[in-house]
Amino acid sequence: MSLAAKLFGDESSRFVRDHKQLVERINQLESEFTGLELPQFKEKTADFKQRVTESPLDNILPEAFALVREASKRVLNQRHFDVQLLGGLILHQGKIAEMKTGEGKTLVATLAAYLNALTGKGVHIVTVNDYLSRRDAVWMGQIYNLLGLTVGVINNSTSYLYDSGHVPETADKLRDTTGGFHVVYEFLRPCSRREAYQADITYGSNTEFGFDYLRDHLAYNSANVVQALPGREYNYAIVDEVDSVLIDEARTPLIISAPVAESDSFYKTFSKIAKGLKPGEDYTVDEKQKAISLTEVGISKVEQELGIENLYTEAGIKQVHHLETAVRAQAIFLRDRDYVVRGGEVVIVDEFTGRLQPGRRWSDGLHQAIEAKEGVLIKEESKTYASITLQNYFKLYKKLSGMTGTAATSAEEFTKVYGLGVIVVPTNKPSQRQDLTDLVFQTEEAKFRAVSKRISELNQLGQPVLVGTVSIEKSEKLSLYLRQAGIPHKILNAKNHEEEGQIIAEAGKKGSVVIATNMAGRGVDIKLGGTSADEAKYNQIRQLGGLFVLGTERHDARRIDNQLRGRSGRQGDPGTTRFFLSFEDTLVRVFVPDKVKGVIRRLGLPESEPIEHRMVARAIESAQKKIEGLNFDTRKHLFEYDNVLNHQRAAIYNRREGILFGSRDELNSLLADYRIPSTIADEELRRVMLSVIDSFWVDHLEAMEYLKQNVRLRAYGQRDPFVEYKREGLELFRTLEDTIDKNTVEALKKLVEKQESYATLRVDPGPAFANFTFSGGKIDNSTPSRGLAVVKADDKVGRNDPCPCGSGKKYKKCHGG
């Protein structure tokens, strides 16, 4: 700790100290609100809304927080603790609140969400999946409804509004026997996506918010825009599990794409070649970077297989790329760890949450390479139409905040990338959890035997056990050990995620043993004795020592380990956590120095005897920090490159918005800029101009991706690849803008010329003037529609000539008939 921190306290302790009086002020107001009649809550909100038009939000903060607390007491019978008020202050100030498991983060969000929603500009509450969006909207929706605010939910397939006609009298009506919230549909009314966004507070997952942003900027009609509406710009977002969303998932950009044809045999050929290559002999694997390198021997083998003399000149860059991708798919990406095969499809497993990600695909041909490896249907590659990183999406918001149980270890990244400070909130009750030192074994076999033995001992006592594993494969392997030992247990992984609510609800019962992947690490609150337990059962488990969390492997990031530990010891409950490791674990094997393992092995300890040595513990923590650093560099690299594209994206999207939402006067001004007569109908200005922009923007995205790949080689010439990318990317963008302008003029002129060649317009039930779409910058008018038909009045069109309406029929068979 620095001298300044010792003298004045760290940032978190200073925040608590500096805001103590404000919390006391909120508490003093509590008595003023206890006598409110139910209709008066809405009246208070109306009064607050009027006041915030004349003064800053902070002026009404104490009253607003006190009113939310009282509303929560009325409908949920839950009163915000002082530490939860602190959490609300942190969120309102645009910071991250680190709050331990069971401290009520979901309730904390209502304070800042309500206060900021009073401006009428909308608040987005971001969750990690659709289920939590629905659950939290229904649960907290009772509070917002009493206060007179509307609540929307965006899910993958359906959007909802909280229906005030179905508000339960007590919170218990929300709960079922599993402790879940599957009855939420009784309280949510399906609505349009735009309606959900027009609500005062909108819940949704990070991917749904991000993809809606991209879809809005592909829209050709303002009626199809749901999120990016004028007057409802990106005001304020509260991100739940903020480290998962802004760090773990930030390594993968959001992409909207469409398939482009590629031969199946192409992938099958390289997959077959990859399976015939031997690791260590034909290629080397860098597990730290998840990369492979072909050796000279391997290159020769491939050249012989393909029947060519020089792979790198004859095959071309594209085939070399696909060869290396096929080898990566074979050597690095493992079934039941990185993906599962379900229903004849390769489905990605999220490495941080352990959940399946149906619909998401790896890019650059990797997914196709894995499909070829597994012998399932190979789907077409795709072309990118829109993309954005989560970093740049969330930086759109004027104010951003978040909450999680584990943020402090990534405080540097939150500050550097997002400008978000991290404040650790004290627990409401002192923690009673014991975190025991790691036990390290020389082999995985010895580790699993020891784990099985320890679980058996705890099970005989009746103490509930939650066992954390890093993959589906490892969870099933441990399950086999427990079955052989006769220990009853349940497994929770991506293969049986439908049973998650039931399994977790019973994980705190006496004698319960649950083996879980990272799925059990977030958004889970395990109650001692089970969700329906009475006081006697709860106290019984307390006396047995609470929940025992047993980790079977360390994760790449310390935060993930801390999330698992956080399932135990909620709200001052007792609990114990311990990790069992081995020298064969991926993290230890790859990142812990051989000299450390050598020292231990020279001690000559039996294989079954665990190692508790400070040197090993330090080496493991050092390895995790090293991996966190590597992952930070990866995200930083992605962010820097996307920042270059983000400036270009903003310029293009602003241009689109001007066309999409501009008034007729603004459109006429644009036409005047291009020196085009203003006789074109609105929807036709708009469609043609947007089509030109989109067509060339898609080509530009592809060009920028190729540029990013190619500039990496510039490093060999002592040139900074990123500087080269910025410089050449700017040149490409200037060319893009010129090309868009030129082609827009040409397209609009052609549209005017075509209109001027027709003398009359009449309504006709037959095929009408074609809708204009663009492909490769050229007008494609092959798509007929119905409505207004454009008919030539004179006889200049021959009866056997194509009809000018664009139907493809002869004039005599169409409008000349």
Side-chain angles (χ1 to χ4, degrees):
M1 184 182 292
S2 66
L3 178 61
K6 288 179 180 178
L7 292 174
F8 306 107
D10 60 17
E11 186 179 3
S12 297
S13 59
R14 288 198 302 273
F15 187 96
V16 174
R17 183 184 65 216
D18 294 345
H19 291 81
K20 186 177 179 181
Q21 287 186 332
L22 186 53
V23 170
E24 289 174 355
R25 171 64 181 145
I26 298 167
N27 287 334
Q28 289 166 3
L29 289 167
E30 187 168 13
S31 58
E32 293 184 22
F33 293 101
T34 54
L36 287 178
E37 299 292 333
L38 292 183
Q40 290 181 287
F41 283 87
K42 290 183 174 65
E43 293 171 9
K44 281 285 185 182
T45 295
D47 176 55
F48 290 161
K49 284 183 175 180
Q50 177 57 39
R51 286 166 60 185
V52 299
T53 62
E54 303 163 355
S55 61
L57 280 176
D58 286 356
N59 287 3
I60 64 162
L61 185 150
E63 295 169 85
F65 276 33
L67 186 67
V68 173
R69 175 193 263 175
E70 185 60 30
S72 177
K73 285 159 59 180
R74 299 289 181 93
V75 296
L76 296 182
N77 197 29
Q78 293 181 350
R79 178 184 178 275
H80 294 77
F81 302 128
D82 284 2
V83 291
Q84 289 175 309
L85 297 179
L86 275 172
L89 293 172
I90 293 165
L91 296 181
H92 171 61
Q93 292 187 17
K95 300 178 188 295
I96 292 173
E98 175 174 299
M99 302 184 71
K100 303 304 178 190
T101 304
E103 293 295 303
K105 294 189 290 293
T106 307
L107 194 63
V108 167
T110 59
L111 298 163
Y114 172 74
L115 177 63
N116 285 270
L118 294 172
T119 63
K121 295 178 181 177
V123 173
H124 293 170
I125 299 184
V126 185
T127 65
V128 293
N129 58 51
D130 283 355
Y131 163 72
L132 291 176
S133 299
R134 296 194 305 271
R135 186 201 75 175
D136 293 355
V138 170
W139 194 6
M140 299 298 112
Q142 299 169 89
I143 297 174
Y144 300 128
N145 181 71
L146 179 60
L147 293 166
L149 296 184
T150 55
V151 179
V153 184
I154 55 165
N155 275 185
N156 181 260
S157 56
T158 313
S159 300
Y160 306 93
L161 282 176
Y162 184 90
D163 193 336
S164 60
H166 296 280
V167 181
E169 294 175 6
T170 66
D172 288 339
K173 285 197 175 181
L174 280 175
R175 296 185 178 273
D176 56 36
T177 55
T178 70
F181 290 82
H182 73 258
V183 293
V184 293
Y185 290 104
E186 295 178 19
F187 309 98
L188 295 177
R189 174 173 59 81
C191 68
S192 71
R193 214 161 178 86
R194 179 181 276 198
E195 282 182 291
Y197 274 111
Q198 291 289 84
D200 295 307
I201 296 166
T202 304
Y203 284 83
S205 70
N206 55 297
T207 52
E208 290 304 310
F209 281 118
F211 279 124
D212 278 343
Y213 169 78
L214 294 177
R215 283 189 285 260
D216 277 357
H217 289 94
L218 291 173
Y220 274 60
N221 190 313
S222 59
N224 296 329
V225 176
V226 297
Q227 183 189 92
L229 294 168
R232 297 284 291 188
E233 286 83 9
Y234 301 89
N235 175 44
Y236 177 45
I238 300 173
V239 184
D240 194 10
E241 304 296 356
V242 66
D243 55 327
S244 175
V245 173
L246 296 189
I247 292 183
D248 295 339
E249 296 200 34
R251 289 162 66 182
T252 308
L254 302 177
I255 298 173
I256 288 180
S257 58
V260 292
E262 188 67 89
S263 170
D264 283 6
S265 60
F266 186 79
Y267 297 105
K268 290 175 181 176
T269 297
F270 284 113
S271 180
K272 182 181 177 182
I273 292 172
K275 287 177 181 176
L277 299 179
K278 297 177 181 177
E281 180 182 320
D282 299 322
Y283 61 87
T284 58
V285 179
D286 184 341
E287 292 188 80
K288 294 180 183 180
Q289 300 290 344
K290 291 190 175 179
I292 62 97
S293 295
L294 290 167
T295 64
E296 290 295 329
V297 174
I299 292 169
S300 296
K301 278 189 181 179
V302 174
E303 289 170 341
Q304 191 173 355
E305 284 273 349
L306 295 174
I308 58 178
E309 290 187 12
N310 192 323
L311 175 66
Y312 289 89
T313 58
E314 293 181 56
I317 292 175
K318 185 176 181 180
Q319 293 200 45
V320 171
H321 165 74
H322 281 293
L323 168 66
E324 292 178 344
T325 302
V327 178
R328 285 183 68 221
Q330 185 67 32
I332 295 174
F333 289 82
L334 304 181
R335 184 169 179 167
D336 288 343
R337 186 191 71 183
D338 303 298
Y339 63 91
V340 298
V341 178
R342 171 171 287 191
E345 290 189 356
V346 170
V347 183
I348 297 173
V349 176
D350 186 281
E351 64 178 304
F352 301 105
T353 66
R355 299 179 187 277
L356 293 182
Q357 297 183 302
R360 296 188 76 170
R361 294 175 64 82
W362 285 297
S363 57
D364 293 330
L366 175 60
H367 212 98
Q368 287 80 4
I370 294 174
E371 287 169 335
K373 167 189 170 183
E374 294 294 342
V376 299
L377 177 68
I378 300 172
K379 295 186 178 179
E380 298 169 318
E381 271 198 73
S382 55
K383 186 172 187 176
T384 298
Y385 281 77
S387 72
I388 192 169
T389 58
L390 286 170
Q391 291 104 318
N392 272 319
Y393 172 73
F394 283 107
K395 283 169 75 72
L396 291 170
Y397 288 88
K398 293 176 184 174
K399 183 163 73 174
L400 181 66
S401 64
M403 49 191 183
T404 181
T406 47
T409 56
S410 299
E412 180 187 3
E413 184 166 354
F414 282 124
T415 302
K416 286 184 176 179
V417 177
Y418 301 99
L420 294 171
V422 176
I423 305 295
V424 179
V425 181
T427 55
N428 184 49
K429 296 178 180 178
S431 174
Q432 302 295 320
R433 193 183 74 209
Q434 286 185 295
D435 295 327
L436 304 178
T437 56
D438 296 354
L439 297 181
V440 185
F441 297 82
Q442 296 184 53
T443 66
E444 185 177 74
E445 181 78 19
K447 177 184 74 173
F448 276 133
R449 283 201 302 267
V451 167
S452 180
K453 180 183 176 184
R454 184 63 181 131
I455 293 172
S456 179
E457 293 167 351
L458 295 167
N459 187 245
Q460 288 173 18
L461 294 172
Q463 186 172 1
V465 184
L466 175 66
V467 189
T469 60
V470 296
S471 67
I472 298 169
E473 177 194 20
K474 299 293 185 185
S475 67
E476 293 176 344
K477 185 173 183 178
L478 179 59
S479 174
L480 180 62
Y481 275 85
L482 297 191
R483 287 202 302 272
Q484 290 171 346
I487 303 171
H489 63 281
K490 292 184 178 178
I491 303 180
L492 174 60
N493 60 35
K495 288 186 174 180
N496 67 335
H497 64 96
E498 296 88 356
E499 303 170 43
E500 180 176 357
Q502 179 70 40
I503 293 173
I504 288 300
E506 308 306 324
K509 277 190 170 182
K510 183 178 180 180
S512 169
V513 177
V514 174
I515 303 172
T517 56
N518 298 354
M519 289 178 68
R522 289 188 185 273
V524 174
D525 196 6
I526 298 174
K527 185 177 179 181
L528 300 186
T531 54
S532 57
D534 55 25
E535 196 69 21
K537 289 181 179 177
Y538 170 71
N539 287 328
Q540 181 187 38
I541 303 299
R542 282 181 59 91
Q543 290 167 5
L544 288 170
L547 180 68
F548 194 109
V549 170
L550 195 157
T552 60
E553 208 164 318
R554 286 284 192 172
H555 296 79
D556 286 356
R558 290 168 292 170
R559 291 180 295 101
I560 311 296
D561 292 338
N562 292 338
Q563 284 285 345
L564 179 62
R565 276 193 160 132
R567 301 309 105 197
S568 177
R570 60 181 290 282
Q571 280 290 323
D573 285 341
T576 307
T577 70
R578 176 164 246 168
F579 281 85
F580 284 56
L581 313 176
S582 84
F583 284 166
E584 294 177 354
D585 294 350
T586 301
L587 182 139
V588 180
R589 177 172 53 81
V590 176
F591 286 92
V592 173
D594 288 337
K595 64 180 181 182
V596 174
K597 290 177 274 191
V599 168
I600 300 301
R601 287 193 175 107
R602 282 196 292 273
L603 294 175
L605 297 174
E607 189 181 278
S608 60
E609 188 171 331
I611 302 157
E612 289 184 81
H613 199 289
R614 222 177 314 168
M615 181 173 63
V616 177
R618 281 199 305 265
I620 291 170
E621 185 175 5
S622 174
Q624 287 182 305
K625 288 180 180 177
K626 192 182 297 182
I627 299 171
E628 289 169 357
L630 289 172
N631 290 338
F632 181 20
D633 289 341
T634 300
R635 291 187 293 269
K636 184 182 175 187
H637 176 83
L638 174 70
F639 180 57
E640 287 174 342
Y641 276 81
D642 191 62
N643 253 348
V644 175
L645 195 59
N646 198 50
H647 292 296
Q648 301 175 5
R649 182 190 298 115
I652 291 295
Y653 285 2
N654 284 339
R655 186 187 283 217
R656 276 188 116 267
E657 287 172 12
I659 295 168
L660 205 57
F661 293 103
S663 65
R664 182 68 215 198
D665 288 342
E666 290 171 296
L667 289 175
N668 287 341
S669 176
L670 281 170
L671 289 171
D673 290 342
Y674 290 125
R675 300 188 181 184
I676 305 293
S678 58
T679 57
I680 309 173
D682 280 12
E683 288 310 308
E684 289 175 359
L685 182 50
R686 293 185 210 273
R687 182 172 290 277
V688 168
M689 296 175 81
L690 292 173
S691 294
V692 174
I693 290 171
D694 291 351
S695 174
F696 289 104
W697 173 243
V698 168
D699 290 341
H700 178 74
L701 287 176
E702 190 171 20
M704 291 293 286
E705 184 60 32
Y706 276 120
L707 176 62
K708 185 165 69 174
Q709 303 296 331
N710 291 336
V711 293
R712 293 174 183 171
L713 301 174
R714 312 274 176 93
Y716 294 109
Q718 304 302 309
R719 288 185 289 177
D720 187 328
F722 182 59
V723 172
E724 295 285 298
Y725 179 77
K726 284 198 295 184
R727 182 180 60 79
E728 293 191 26
L730 179 59
E731 292 175 8
L732 285 173
F733 186 66
R734 285 172 177 165
T735 301
L736 169 69
E737 290 184 308
D738 291 342
T739 304
I740 288 174
D741 288 342
K742 185 189 299 182
N743 280 269
T744 299
V745 171
E746 290 178 7
L748 290 172
K749 282 182 176 177
K750 285 180 181 176
L751 185 59
V752 171
E753 289 169 5
K754 201 156 198 174
Q755 284 188 337
E756 289 177 345
S757 69
Y758 303 132
T760 62
L761 291 172
R762 65 179 174 82
V763 176
D764 185 89
F769 188 41
N771 289 331
F772 278 90
T773 58
F774 277 73
S775 175
K778 296 180 181 178
I779 297 178
D780 174 5
N781 62 349
S782 61
T783 310
S785 63
R786 301 178 70 87
L788 270 183
V790 184
V791 183
K792 199 83 182 283
D794 53 34
D795 294 322
K796 290 181 181 178
V797 179
R799 289 179 54 76
N800 291 314
D801 290 342
C803 184
C805 79
S807 68
K809 298 179 180 180
K810 289 183 178 180
Y811 183 55
K812 67 182 180 183
K813 296 287 188 181
C814 194
H815 289 95

